[in-house]
Amino acid sequence: VQLQASGGGSVQAGGALRLSCVASGRFSTGYVMGWFRQAPGKERQFVAAMNWSGGRTDYADSVQGRFTISRDNAKNTGYLQLNSLKPEDTGVYYCAAYRRSAVIDVWRHNVGGYDYWGRGTLVTVSS
């Protein structure tokens, strides 16, 4: 599985951005695509995830109601719409993926739970 993220940029607080993640290789409906972010000097944190089969979603509390994860199956592309951005949303955003387990089906919020990672895209929000 290969992942390619794009769409980062610089915006003012209150602005919006849309990130994209193109998946290739064996990525399919048996996978979950997630987004993480890493602020300078901080650990990488879970942001959102989507079950590629059925489209169920999961969000971190800090972005619930402001960010929306979606997908275009035909393009094998995931999106993360970032609205009402705050300076604390600044960081490098990574898309990641793992193959869902047939036995234990719970959302993974830890970095180690994801097997595939794309290169990050930088989001900078100024006050």
Side-chain angles (χ1 to χ4, degrees):
V1 173
Q2 293 81 43
L3 303 168
Q4 180 69 46
S6 62
S10 297
V11 297
Q12 291 190 327
L17 285 172
R18 189 177 80 157
L19 309 183
S20 300
C21 179
V22 179
S24 60
R26 293 189 174 186
F27 187 86
S28 65
T29 56
Y31 283 77
V32 170
M33 178 181 285
W35 288 91
F36 285 72
R37 67 185 180 192
Q38 188 165 17
K42 296 189 176 181
E43 294 184 349
R44 197 170 298 186
Q45 294 182 324
F46 171 79
V47 174
M50 170 173 275
N51 186 332
W52 214 253
S53 172
R56 288 187 303 119
T57 58
D58 184 38
Y59 295 94
D61 289 343
S62 60
V63 306
Q64 181 78 46
R66 298 189 298 122
F67 292 6
T68 303
I69 189 171
S70 62
R71 74 190 195 283
D72 183 331
N73 284 340
K75 297 180 179 179
N76 235 24
T77 299
Y79 302 99
L80 186 66
Q81 179 68 40
L82 289 62
N83 294 332
S84 303
L85 282 162
K86 305 175 182 179
E88 52 264 43
D89 294 319
T90 292
V92 178
Y93 283 69
Y94 298 88
C95 63
Y98 65 89
R99 185 173 178 82
R100 287 189 298 115
S101 168
V103 178
I104 302 175
D105 190 13
V106 295
W107 293 110
R108 301 180 187 181
H109 293 175
N110 57 313
V111 171
Y114 285 72
D115 301 311
Y116 307 97
W117 291 85
R119 297 178 66 177
T121 184
L122 178 62
V123 172
T124 304
V125 184
S126 58
S127 57

